[in-house]
């Protein structure tokens, strides 16, 4: 039988990014070769494999583990891809050593964040063989061969830096996609934009957290540091614009929203500052300063943080601060923010409550603490093959938080037997919105398969609701299917539509007819921007026909508004009234479920204590 040749991938640099990728590539059926310089780590990986903890969970063994690039060359190891997942300051030297591996067929992947890091590989491999990856996942080492996956905000991005090897970028992305490490293959222009976007996000917090000894959550909780963070981003956006990299108008607001999700841990660069290790600052804030100088743009804050980080690491100052250099994390643990629990840590904010919203398109998880602050959010696609992922998320939640009570809601709530109670999405939506917007209101929730309009009275009680679940018109799945037919990338749709003034909307609301109509638009030569606006117009028209109470505040929630901000502006125009879009609108229903879980638990506690009092009497 003619068996397909397995793809061989060598990974140089086996930190959290490299380890997660190694495990996933092996899972996808590749032959994975590791190059690990640290002897302790090398021996542990050889004997115990690599373990992933947290959201992804597995132990994987590797047959081909080498101690250096020289050993790889000596053993004449064959490979299709050579991945560099080193720190940026280690790349130049490693690339020189890998010169002999460089035959014409080999594709080189630069898998580290930062601006221009791929440039370090060009002198050795030439630009036509290099792919660059923008990494949107991260992990912390709990042992040299054990990574706790701390976050993944899909997708990662991957592209050929001069578009010469786009087919290889597609092949590699496909491999990663087959094992849920969602990665989007993009062209070199998009790649540049995504690289800057990610670097700006990294630069906004990392140096500040390092210098200020703050976790991400702490930095984002203090208005003084938040002001600095906003200014750092603002400077970077001006520099990016001078480089002709354009971000949407609400980019800074979106960055701040994204950064708010940062947990109670240190960004990797901050960890390096604290532990007195060399940092990658030259490729983060340092690059913003460098490009700023090129365009005569002042970048005072980025300059201040770059130079302070450099001065601190040069002077070994971290080692002079009590509690620094390695023991810093333990210091935090002692402060009671987190508590040591073997390889894991548990949130010390007290009792927690879990809400799970099992929607038709996505499963949303929200954990709140006693004060109803959100301490964890996660989203999974509602796919059968994601069952394992679902179990892992639940396990991670129960390991990291002391969950007292849980509530399931959504389309699939009855199948979720692990929860203590189940409630309808209507009640959960009302509870979730009412946490921040108390009083009479109308809530519009556009999800994957339905649209709901919910009226609440001044006591936040649901008085009436309307649900359109008979046809897909105007829902998330309608939008996704039509966009796919029009070959519009859904993540780009809002930006595209904002560049159009076209006023034609789709006549058909049946998905099948709407697709035919879209085909006609394409034949008529209507631009992608106009098609995008047209699709939004038809959904806005559908929502506008719904009965809304006059003079009552309107609030929008759900996955569609979370991912299509342009729809919010259109609805605002159509209704001619202010429409509030809550923070994290896709998670409002799961937040409400968590709040209801907390209320039930408190009632139970109250009953129990009354019972005890009666018994004592
Ligand atoms: P449900 O509760 O029915 O699962 P959600 O409120 O989660 O629905 O919204 C799902 C819809 O949101 C999808 O059908 C899609 O239109 C949109 N959506 C969610 N996530 C994304 C994403 N990452 N990119 C683009 N659209 C998304």
């Amino acid at each position: 039988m003619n068996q397909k040749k397995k793809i061989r991938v060598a990974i140089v640099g086996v930190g959290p990014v490299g380890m997660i990728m190694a495990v996933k590539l092996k899972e996808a059926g590749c032959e994975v070769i590791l190059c690990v310089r640290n002897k302790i780590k090398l021996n542990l990986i050889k004997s115990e494999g690599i373990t992933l903890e947290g959201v992804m969970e597995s132990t994987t063994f590797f047959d081909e583990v080498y101690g250096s690039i020289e050993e790889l060359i000596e053993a004449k190891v064959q490979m299709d891809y050579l991945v560099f997942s080193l720190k940026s300051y280690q790349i130049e030297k490693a690339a020189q050593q890998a010169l002999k591996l460089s035959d014409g067929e080999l594709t080189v992947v630069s898998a580290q964040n930062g601006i221009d890091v791929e440039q370090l590989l060009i002198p050795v491999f030439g630009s036509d063989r290099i792919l660059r990856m923008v990494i949107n996942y991260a992990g912390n080492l709990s042992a040299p061969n054990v990574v706790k996956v701390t976050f993944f905000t899909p997708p990662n991005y991957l592209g050929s830096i001069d578009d010469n090897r786009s087919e290889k970028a597609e092949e590699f992305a496909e491999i990663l996609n087959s094992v849920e490490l969602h990665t989007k293959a993009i062209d070199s222009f998009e790649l540049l934009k995504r690289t800057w976007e990610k670097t700006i996000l990294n630069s906004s917090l990392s140096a500040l957290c390092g210098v200020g000894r703050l976790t991400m959550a702490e930095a984002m909780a203090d208005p003084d540091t938040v002001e600095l963070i906003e200014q750092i981003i603002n400077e970077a956006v001006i520099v990016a614009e001078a480089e002709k990299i354009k971000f949407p108008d609400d980019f800074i607001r979106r960055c701040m929203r994204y950064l708010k999700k940062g947990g109670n841990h240190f960004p990797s660069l901050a960890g390096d500052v604290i532990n007195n290790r060399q940092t990658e600052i030259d490729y983060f804030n340092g690059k913003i300063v460098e490009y700023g100088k090129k365009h005569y743009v002042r970048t005072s804050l980025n300059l201040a943080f770059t130079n302070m980080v450099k001065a601190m690491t040069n002077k070994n100052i971290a080692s002079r601060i009590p509690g620094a250099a390695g023991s810093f994390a333990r210091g935090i643990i002692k402060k009671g923010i987190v508590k040591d629990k073997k390889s894991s840590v548990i949130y010390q904010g007290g009792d927690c409550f879990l809400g799970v919203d099992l929607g038709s398109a996505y499963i949303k998880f929200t954990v709140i603490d006693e004060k109803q602050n959100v301490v964890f959010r996660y989203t999974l696609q509602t796919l059968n093959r994601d069952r394992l992922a679902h179990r892992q998320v639940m396990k991670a939640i129960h390991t990291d938080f002391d969950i007292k009570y849980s509530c399931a809601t959504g389309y699939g709530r009855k199948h979720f037997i692990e929860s203590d109670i189940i409630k309808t999405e209507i009640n959960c939506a009302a509870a979730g919105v009412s946490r921040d917007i108390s009083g009479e209101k109308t809530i519009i929730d556009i999800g994957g398969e339905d649209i709901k309009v919910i009226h609440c009275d001044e006591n936040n009680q649901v008085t009436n609701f309307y649900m359109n679940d008979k046809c897909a018109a105007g829902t998330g799945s309608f939008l996704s299917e039509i966009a796919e037919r029009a070959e519009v990338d859904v993540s780009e749709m809002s930006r595209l539509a904002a560049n159009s003034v076209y006023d034609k909307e789709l006549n058909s609301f049946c998905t099948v007819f709407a697709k035919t109509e879209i085909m006609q638009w394409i034949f008529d030569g209507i631009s992608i921007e106009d098609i995008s606006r047209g699709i939004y117009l038809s959904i806005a028209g559908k929502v506008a026909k719904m009965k809304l109470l006059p003079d009552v505040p309107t609030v929008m929630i759900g996955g569609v508004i979370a991912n299509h901000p342009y729809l919010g502006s259109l609805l605002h125009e159509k209704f001619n009234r202010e429409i509030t879009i809550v923070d994290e609108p896709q998670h409002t229903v799961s937040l409400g479920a968590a709040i209801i879980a907390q209320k039930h638990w408190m009632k139970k506690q109250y009953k129990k204590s009354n019972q005890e009092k009666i018994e004592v009497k």
Side-chain angles (χ1 to χ4, degrees):
M1 209 172 69
N2 186 16
Q3 273 203 337
K4 214 175 149 201
K5 190 177 151 269
K6 282 198 170 184
I7 291 176
R8 289 179 58 81
V9 186
I11 300 184
V12 178
V14 189
V17 167
M19 278 158 108
I20 294 168
M21 191 183 293
V23 168
K24 286 289 164 184
L25 287 171
K26 186 106 200 254
E27 227 175 78
C30 296
E31 282 171 358
V32 179
I33 306 117
L34 299 178
C35 184
V36 193
R37 280 183 71 89
N38 182 304
K39 287 277 167 296
I40 298 172
K41 183 180 245 184
L42 178 116
N43 289 334
L44 275 169
I45 293 180
K46 274 187 174 171
S47 58
E48 294 174 15
I50 294 179
T51 298
L52 301 188
E53 288 181 336
V55 173
M56 301 171 186
E57 201 161 277
S58 63
T59 295
T60 308
F61 289 88
F62 296 84
D63 305 324
E64 299 175 74
V65 188
Y66 295 87
S68 66
I69 296 174
E70 288 87 347
E71 275 184 29
L72 274 181
I73 296 169
E74 233 166 75
K76 297 199 170 51
V77 174
Q78 295 298 308
M79 64 195 80
D80 304 293
Y81 291 91
L82 174 61
V83 178
F84 285 92
S85 46
L86 293 158
K87 297 273 186 191
S88 42
Y89 50 80
Q90 298 168 326
I91 301 173
E92 240 169 332
K93 196 165 162 209
Q96 288 294 342
Q97 289 168 350
L99 185 64
K100 286 199 186 133
L101 291 172
S102 157
D103 76 66
E105 289 302 305
L106 182 73
T107 301
V108 177
V109 183
S110 158
Q112 53 273 108
N113 290 328
I115 291 170
D116 290 346
V117 284
E118 73 286 351
Q119 303 291 325
L120 301 167
L121 295 168
I122 295 179
V124 176
F125 300 103
S127 60
D128 58 338
R129 280 197 277 150
I130 300 172
L131 308 183
R132 161 87 209 251
M133 190 162 174
V134 176
I135 312 272
N136 276 325
Y137 63 84
N140 290 332
L141 290 183
S142 11
N145 63 329
V146 181
V147 193
K148 179 164 179 176
V149 185
T150 48
F151 81 84
F152 180 29
T153 317
N156 305 302
Y157 296 96
L158 181 71
S160 157
I161 63 170
D162 62 4
D163 293 316
N164 254 311
R165 286 211 177 183
S166 303
E167 76 294 346
K168 286 288 173 191
E170 304 225 340
E171 179 184 71
F172 203 75
E174 208 174 292
I175 297 170
L176 296 173
N177 286 332
S178 72
V179 282
E180 312 285 319
L181 199 60
H182 295 292
T183 301
K184 196 170 160 194
I186 51 178
D187 66 26
S188 58
F189 293 101
E190 178 73 7
L191 184 63
L192 188 67
K193 186 175 148 191
R194 295 293 182 185
T195 306
W196 273 74
E197 184 180 80
K198 182 70 192 175
T199 307
I200 291 175
L201 280 171
N202 281 342
S203 306
S204 61
L205 272 185
S206 299
L208 181 137
C209 287
V211 172
R213 267 73 181 131
L214 299 168
T215 65
M216 293 191 262
E218 285 170 335
M220 288 304 293
D222 184 333
D224 291 331
T225 37
V226 167
E227 193 180 1
L228 280 174
I229 292 162
E230 251 172 352
Q231 287 299 324
I232 295 171
I233 301 176
N234 198 25
E235 282 180 10
V237 169
I238 298 170
V239 175
E241 272 172 8
E243 273 289 297
K244 303 275 180 286
I245 296 164
K246 182 94 186 82
F247 295 115
D249 291 342
D250 60 352
F251 179 70
I252 298 182
R253 200 155 49 92
R254 281 207 222 176
C255 286
M256 298 309 285
R257 204 181 262 186
Y258 175 87
L259 294 171
K260 264 195 205 153
K261 292 185 215 159
N264 236 326
H265 45 83
F266 296 98
S268 137
L269 186 143
D272 290 339
V273 177
I274 290 160
N275 287 306
N276 195 24
R277 292 190 293 249
Q278 190 173 357
T279 73
E280 299 183 274
I281 194 80
D282 283 334
Y283 296 89
F284 289 95
N285 305 71
K287 277 285 163 189
I288 291 160
V289 174
E290 192 183 313
Y291 277 95
K293 284 183 183 158
K294 177 178 155 195
H295 296 287
Y296 303 100
V297 175
R298 246 178 207 280
T299 52
S300 317
L301 274 175
N302 281 280
L303 178 76
F305 278 107
T306 305
N307 292 1
M308 273 163 80
V309 165
K310 281 189 178 176
M312 286 172 81
T313 34
N314 288 345
K315 287 268 179 196
N316 283 355
I317 198 157
S319 60
R320 291 192 233 140
I321 296 174
S327 64
F328 192 77
R330 286 193 291 278
I332 295 283
I333 290 165
K334 279 198 204 112
K335 261 170 47 185
I337 297 169
V338 287
K339 177 174 90 186
D340 210 0
K341 196 187 165 208
K342 290 208 180 120
S343 64
S344 183
V345 287
I346 190 157
Y347 177 74
Q348 281 287 280
D351 299 338
C352 289
F353 304 90
L354 167 67
V356 185
D357 172 13
L358 296 105
S360 60
Y362 289 88
I363 305 174
K364 281 80 58 179
F365 301 82
T366 297
V367 177
I368 57 168
D369 64 11
E370 285 166 329
K371 292 182 186 145
Q372 299 188 349
N373 294 315
V374 173
V375 290
F376 178 88
R377 276 191 198 98
Y378 204 81
T379 315
L380 277 180
Q381 271 181 294
T382 311
L383 289 174
N384 269 345
R385 64 195 159 129
D386 256 343
R387 287 225 170 125
L388 180 63
H390 185 145
R391 274 207 299 278
Q392 283 165 354
V393 173
M394 287 298 290
K395 194 170 163 203
I397 289 173
H398 282 286
T399 313
D400 286 0
F401 302 97
D402 186 8
I403 304 290
K404 290 292 183 212
Y405 220 63
S406 61
C407 171
T409 183
Y411 187 73
R413 60 185 181 271
K414 295 202 174 111
H415 304 287
F416 189 64
I417 46 169
E418 293 136 83
S419 73
D420 294 306
I421 46 169
I422 54 172
K423 288 282 159 193
T424 66
E425 298 108 287
I426 312 286
N427 285 318
C428 293
V433 174
S434 302
R435 186 194 68 165
D436 297 323
I437 305 170
S438 191
E440 197 180 2
K441 63 199 153 263
T442 303
I443 302 168
I444 305 176
D445 178 0
I446 312 184
E449 303 276 323
D450 60 22
I451 303 181
K452 300 180 200 79
V453 180
I454 305 160
H455 295 297
C456 298
D457 64 15
E458 62 282 6
N459 299 317
N460 300 319
Q461 296 303 309
V462 176
T463 51
N464 198 357
F465 70 89
Y466 163 81
M467 177 149 77
N468 151 38
D469 58 356
K470 295 284 177 289
C471 86
T475 64
S477 60
F478 172 84
L479 203 155
S480 308
E481 278 193 47
I482 304 295
E484 191 183 330
R485 167 53 56 97
E487 294 189 344
V488 181
D489 179 345
V490 280
S491 64
E492 289 291 303
M493 250 180 96
S494 274
R495 189 182 60 76
L496 291 167
N499 290 327
S500 161
V501 286
Y502 196 61
D503 250 341
K504 185 167 164 160
E505 61 183 90
L506 286 170
N507 287 316
S508 329
F509 267 115
C510 164
T511 317
V512 180
F513 292 133
K515 281 186 179 172
T516 316
E517 213 180 325
I518 284 283
M519 255 168 63
Q520 191 55 50
W521 285 16
I522 296 170
F523 287 136
D524 292 344
I526 297 178
S527 75
I528 199 162
E529 286 83 0
D530 294 344
I531 292 179
S532 302
R533 182 169 147 93
I535 297 172
Y536 284 135
L537 273 171
S538 57
I539 295 177
K542 176 87 186 166
V543 178
K545 288 198 187 82
M546 296 181 164
K547 280 174 249 140
L548 296 184
L549 299 176
D551 306 322
V552 173
T554 308
V555 185
M556 285 207 72
I557 61 169
V560 169
I561 203 67
N563 290 282
H564 300 274
Y566 187 72
L567 185 61
S569 340
L570 263 189
L571 284 168
H572 176 72
E573 263 172 46
K574 286 251 168 202
F575 285 121
N576 198 18
R577 67 157 89 178
E578 197 59 54
I579 294 187
T580 307
I581 298 169
V582 295
D583 266 355
E584 302 294 341
Q586 196 171 6
H587 278 85
T588 308
V589 173
S590 54
L591 166 67
I595 291 172
I596 292 176
Q598 183 193 25
K599 286 189 179 149
H600 271 253
W601 187 76
M602 282 161 70
K603 261 192 215 157
K604 267 181 61 160
Q605 295 300 102
Y606 180 75
K607 265 195 202 156
K608 210 166 114 192
S609 69
N610 270 356
Q611 191 66 37
E612 278 163 10
K613 272 184 214 154
I614 294 166
E615 278 165 14
V616 171
K617 274 183 196 167

